Amino acid sequence: MSLHQQICGSGEATPLVMLHGWAMHSGVWRTFAHHLAQRRRVIAVDLPGHGASPALPFTWPVLREALHAIMPQEPTICLGWSLGAMAAIDYATHYPRQVAALILITANPRFVASEDWPGLSLPNLHAMAEELCRDAPAVLRRFWALQVHGMSDAPRHLQHLHAVLTAYPPPTLDTLRQGLVLLRDADLRPQFASLPMPVLTLFGGRDKLVPKEVMAALCALRPSTDAQLLPRAGHIPFITHESDVLAQIQRFLSRYDVE
């Protein structure tokens, strides 16, 4: 079963594939994708069990091969956000020749904090998983609100996010729980450190899910990383700070001559 894709744009520039975060779907990229599609084909993918994609076991090997089945034949720019960024790191590790450049938005290769790594606290993630079983809609509503926490125009952005995300039924409880297990257990730091292609990472200074301290940690792990902080942004800067994110992506692609 193939993953659902939304495709926009054309042209001879390097195609770009977009991977969304936990409990979201490809519709979250809609406006942003059209900006990126002025010179290239942009493919926004629904991860397994999200949006219009069929439910599959939500594991790295299954996700990786499902993505590979729908990837363009030529080298591609892979853009991932949050959990989708972790999927992009995993994919680029196993198929490096397929990935011309990697763009990671509010990404943490080890989502859960440890003594030597910044992240979300494990008790907070456990509490979220437990509450998911009792009242999944309430958990999702609070999770959406976290995306724009601290923004001066948060109500407007949240209203937009709600309208987009409710266009499809939410993922099943099983899919949501499997996604949280990936976030809890994954440690992709070794994979990130060994990525051979150009990598851009963008962080929000007000992000409540991926602390800004991750940026310095990633640069220490992989010094060639192009890491940028958007001080006033939260976890979803491609919506709240769209023009800034677009400018950073264009600068990065021009720097590495990825057209």
Side-chain angles (χ1 to χ4, degrees):
M1 292 186 289
S2 181
L3 299 180
H4 179 257
Q5 309 158 60
Q6 296 193 50
I7 302 174
C8 61
S10 60
E12 297 183 359
T14 306
L16 186 148
V17 169
M18 312 178 84
L19 307 178
H20 62 78
W22 181 79
M24 305 287 177
H25 59 71
S26 59
V28 77
W29 298 113
R30 187 170 298 127
T31 303
F32 192 70
H34 281 282
H35 286 299
L36 291 172
Q38 293 179 5
R39 298 179 53 249
R40 69 185 79 245
R41 180 165 45 116
V42 172
I43 304 163
V45 180
D46 283 339
L47 297 181
H50 294 71
S53 280
L56 302 170
F58 213 71
T59 64
W60 294 127
V62 171
L63 179 53
R64 181 191 316 141
E65 295 313 309
L67 289 173
H68 192 57
I70 56 91
M71 282 285 182
Q73 295 297 310
E74 66 266 41
T76 300
I77 301 163
C78 194
L79 188 159
W81 163 55
S82 198
L83 176 60
M86 298 176 82
I89 293 170
D90 177 76
Y91 182 81
T93 299
H94 289 83
Y95 295 101
R97 294 184 180 180
Q98 194 71 28
V99 180
L102 200 57
I103 300 170
L104 308 174
I105 299 178
T106 56
N108 193 346
R110 179 184 168 94
F111 188 70
V112 173
S114 63
E115 291 184 0
D116 65 340
W117 195 261
L120 189 71
S121 76
L122 185 57
N124 282 349
L125 192 64
H126 280 162
M128 185 176 177
E130 290 174 2
E131 190 172 356
L132 194 64
C133 298
R134 297 193 298 269
D135 192 347
V139 171
L140 292 180
R141 287 193 298 270
R142 285 197 296 274
F143 182 69
W144 296 347
L146 278 177
Q147 311 301 310
V148 297
H149 181 85
M151 304 296 99
S152 59
D153 48 358
R156 177 174 64 86
H157 291 307
L158 185 57
Q159 184 179 28
H160 166 76
L161 197 57
H162 181 271
V164 167
L165 294 177
T166 53
Y168 287 97
T172 65
L173 180 59
D174 193 42
T175 294
L176 291 170
R177 293 177 66 181
Q178 289 180 57
L180 289 184
V181 169
L182 286 187
L183 290 171
R184 182 195 69 193
D185 295 344
D187 186 352
L188 303 180
R189 290 178 294 178
Q191 291 91 325
F192 179 85
S194 64
L195 290 169
M197 69 286 297
V199 178
L200 170 66
T201 61
L202 298 174
F203 294 89
R206 298 179 179 177
D207 195 337
K208 295 300 180 182
L209 295 167
V210 175
K212 62 184 179 182
E213 290 78 13
V214 174
M215 185 175 77
L218 288 184
C219 289
L221 198 61
R222 185 180 181 277
S224 63
T225 302
D226 186 334
Q228 304 295 327
L229 178 69
L230 304 175
R232 298 183 180 275
H235 193 64
I236 194 165
F238 58 89
I239 286 180
T240 62
H241 293 72
E242 181 184 84
S243 60
D244 293 334
V245 176
L246 287 168
Q248 289 290 351
I249 290 174
Q250 185 54 53
R251 176 196 59 79
F252 168 73
L253 295 179
S254 298
R255 175 184 176 187
Y256 289 99
D257 198 26
V258 181
E259 293 298 330

